[in-house]
Amino acid sequence: MAFKKITESTSHYRHLEKMSVLELLTNINKEDATVPAAIEKVIPEIEALVHAIVDKMLMGGRLFYIGAGTSGRLGIVDASECPPTYGVPQGLVIGIIAGGSKAITEAVESAEDDTEQGWIDLQQHKINSTDVVIGIAASGTTPYVISALEKCRENNIVTGSICCNPGAPISQAADFAIEAVVGPEFVTGSTRMKSGTAQKLVLNMISTSVMIQLGRVEDNKMVNMQLTNEKIVDRGVKMLMEKLGVSDYEKAKALLLEKGSVKKAIESLRS
């Protein structure tokens, strides 16, 4: 069967400009509600990729996300939130976008069509066979991403992919392919909508599951979170008070700030 870009298929809705704001919002929400069901179908594929990432990280490896446009930005968002949320070092999860840092806020013309730069960008991080690279591309056809995954495979680097078209070329370049097929977008071809939502959800699932497997969460608490602002410090103090069964807020806060994390504070009292 010939490859078909469902992400480019015509919207189920016509004459959007004639809809009221309420109709627009209701219909967009109706489409968004279908995304989790599409992801549910590929949970086994996500599970396999998570296991592969955990295995590599336990060997000292890192996780890379690579993409262009919205897909690249979503990878950067997920990667950047891992250190403050789970207390892991900067550089354990890395997001790379076609066009470099400028492309985070602006469109960089033709960057996604470059078939050499993706691998060059990965090499700048001294990528090696202990790492895992996940290519993100809604269409599954982005040359920058696909060529980077192909080079990874040539160098014995484990690869994964996230796209929203079945049988996409990117899937052929990945060891662990995830195809969350969410169907046509509300605005035809606007993959920052349902496709973007699907990619964000899958990325959340991957990084969260990996971090839990690596012991960065206890019970349901972010015990390794970085104490970067008062809101986080307050959350940490309350976690500590609950964990230790104490009521002295200031004493718990002093211990937390001294040790630097909820986990370290608890461990200091156990030792």
Side-chain angles (χ1 to χ4, degrees), residues 191-221:
T191 52
R192 71 182 186 87
M193 301 186 77
K194 286 193 300 181
S195 296
T197 299
Q199 290 172 321
K200 178 68 167 67
L201 292 176
V202 172
L203 289 168
N204 282 351
M205 293 168 76
I206 291 171
S207 59
T208 302
S209 298
V210 166
M211 293 299 154
I212 293 171
Q213 290 294 300
L214 293 175
R216 309 307 296 184
V217 172
E218 289 186 8
D219 188 11
N220 56 13
K221 302 294 194 300

Side-chain angles (χ1 to χ4, degrees), residues 54-94:
V54 172
D55 288 346
K56 288 294 186 179
M57 281 192 165
L58 289 174
M59 294 165 51
R62 300 163 293 173
L63 171 61
F64 288 82
Y65 297 135
I66 187 166
T70 297
S71 298
R73 295 180 192 108
L74 290 170
I76 288 171
V77 167
D78 195 79
S80 66
E81 291 175 348
C82 287
T85 305
Y86 301 109
V88 295
Q90 295 285 346
L92 183 67
V93 185
I94 300 169

Side-chain angles (χ1 to χ4, degrees), residues 67-70 72-73 76 95-111 121:
T70 297
R73 295 180 192 108
I76 288 171
I96 295 174
I97 186 170
S101 57
K102 179 182 178 182
I104 297 173
T105 57
E106 301 177 32
V108 177
E109 298 299 332
S110 301
D121 291 344

Side-chain angles (χ1 to χ4, degrees), residues 8 20 30 35 37-38 44-45 64 72 81 95 105-106 110 138 152 159 185 189-190 195 206 209 267-268:
E8 298 294 325
S20 67
K30 187 183 301 182
V35 175
E45 287 81 0
F64 288 82
E81 291 175 348
T105 57
E106 301 177 32
S110 301
C152 286
T159 56
E185 297 288 358
S190 181
S195 296
I206 291 171
S209 298
E267 289 176 345
S268 71

Side-chain angles (χ1 to χ4, degrees), residues 10 12 16 35-36 64 93 112-114 117 120 123 145 148 161 166 170 177 187 193 223 229-230 237 261-262 266:
T10 301
H12 296 309
L16 307 186
V35 175
F64 288 82
V93 185
E112 68 176 61
D113 297 325
D114 194 319
Q117 192 61 44
I120 292 172
Q123 285 182 301
V145 180
S161 65
I170 193 174
V187 175
M193 301 186 77
V223 294
N229 57 53
E230 283 301 318
V237 172
S261 75
V262 174
I266 293 171

